Amino acid sequence: MSIVLVVNSGSSSLKYQLLDVEAGEPLASGLIERIGAESGRATHSVPQPSGEVEKFSGDVEVADHDAAFERMLAAFAEHGPSLESSPPIAVGHRVVQGGARFFEPTVVTELVKINIDELSVLAPLHNPANLAGIRAAERAFPDVPHVAVFDSAFHQTMPPAAYTYAIDRALAEKHRVRRYGFHGTSHRFVSRAAAEFLGSPVEELRLIVLHLGNGASACAVAEGRSVDTSMGMTPLEGLVMGTRSGDIDPAVLLHLQRRAGLDADATDRLLNSRSGILGLSGHADMRDLEAARAEGDPASVVAFDVYAHRLRSYVGAYAAQLGRVDAIVFTAGVGENSAGVRAAALEGLDWFGVEVDEERNTSPERGARRISTDASRTAVLVVPTNEELEIARQTLEVVHA
Ligand SMILES: Nc1ncnc2c1ncn2[C@@H]1O[C@H](COP(=O)(O)OP(=O)(O)O)[C@@H](O)[C@H]1O
Ligand SMILES: CC(=O)OP(=O)(O)O
Ligand SMILES: [Mg+2]
């Protein structure tokens, strides 16, 4: 049994999973939220042999990532499984920005940490937290290898035409301004799982993967490689998200800076934290938005329509880039659970060979499934993502290499 601990540390949260990689099953998972706030929350879940999941949660106060790690270790000690009897042989870390430097999972060394730190200029919201998580984990697990798995890595196969911004070339090069793309671990995992579901080698398929979680991105996958993706230099570009605007005319920022007195930090907060469906409707959570929309709340109706409109635009754009689409694949929290978003995103595309079957789309079935009609030229699938398992697998590959 190869046990790997996977750590996904965000700016204010720590998500973790202890996995038996061969079985592909979590032995435990957890989430510590609102790190640094006065009252945080910790949840620790332990799947039971019966198939049920035992869940322990409580309010906690965690000042920083070190304290969050202590909290996680305490949860294992209290609720199991014991890390003494099932010790991880490695720790895999999600790191968001690997720049043009990291396109493979990488064993963490002092130099790698310096590089991750240095790449923080290209991901100020994500990399510092990722690094804090790595440092805390190294202190907690000093004797096992730590491996960084980069969200941007899968997109390093994009051609220059897809990753280049049309701005002054010298300035862009000096400051490494280009599109990097994110959610790559998920896009890679889901494109392979979709190929398996379709019974075809991924090398023969052209797919559009829609990862719709709190953050959301689309990816055009040709023959197993990312050829275009909607997130850019940072995870702000592209689709409408829970709190992020996605694509916007850059002149809007100039206008707001000149007319509304916003400085760089205020603009950053506006676009990353106060926009998206939250900014439009007051709801960052798609479930809340859909409930308010169902009650006819006008702002929620518009927010949903803007979200779906943007998605449809990217599906069309990537179909044009790919030239042929074998499957459109929905994944992550919204993509896996919202039949309404899936139907709205693909509405009116039957002329184009995309036909969603309403009954299949709204069926409560879990797991990888087809939601298109049998006549649909392009298959439409729902494929659950599992970023933690993919990180654990890549971690083991490096450790065993
Ligand atoms: N049943 C559901 N219907 C609609 N949206 C859902 C449902 N379940 C979860 N979601 C949405 O999924 C999103 C979170 O997705 P997730 O992939 O867990 O995000 P992240 O990993 O980025 O935090 C939230 O907006 C939540 O509302
Ligand atoms: C990169 C990114 O947007 O990640 P998340 O969806 O976890 O916010
Ligand atoms: Mg996620």
Side-chain angles (χ1 to χ4, degrees), residues 15 212-215 284-287 290 332-334 337-338:
K15 287 190 203 169
L212 312 177
N214 276 315
D285 191 299
M286 185 55 78
R287 282 166 293 204
E290 288 192 294
V334 176
N337 295 300
S338 175

Side-chain angles (χ1 to χ4, degrees), residues 8-74:
N8 178 354
S9 39
S11 51
S12 68
S13 72
L14 168 70
K15 287 190 203 169
Y16 58 88
Q17 229 179 72
L18 188 71
L19 287 125
D20 172 357
V21 182
E22 280 95 21
E25 297 292 340
L27 302 169
S29 60
L31 168 64
I32 296 160
E33 293 170 284
R34 297 197 291 272
I35 296 174
E38 250 167 51
S39 89
R41 193 151 183 88
T43 309
H44 185 79
S45 305
V46 187
Q48 301 299 308
S50 65
E52 274 173 37
V53 178
E54 252 195 283
K55 232 178 176 167
F56 307 90
S57 49
D59 294 333
V60 289
E61 204 193 306
V62 280
D64 52 24
H65 284 85
D66 270 336
F69 255 82
E70 289 300 320
R71 188 59 246 162
M72 175 192 81
L73 296 176

Side-chain angles (χ1 to χ4, degrees), residues 8 15 94 96 126 151 181-183 211 213-217 231 234-236 241 244 387:
N8 178 354
K15 287 190 203 169
R94 178 186 183 209
V96 165
H126 293 87
D151 246 43
F182 303 94
H183 291 143
H211 174 109
N214 276 315
S217 67
M231 282 179 166
T234 77
L236 180 55
M241 313 183 209
R244 296 173 231 169
E387 290 162 287

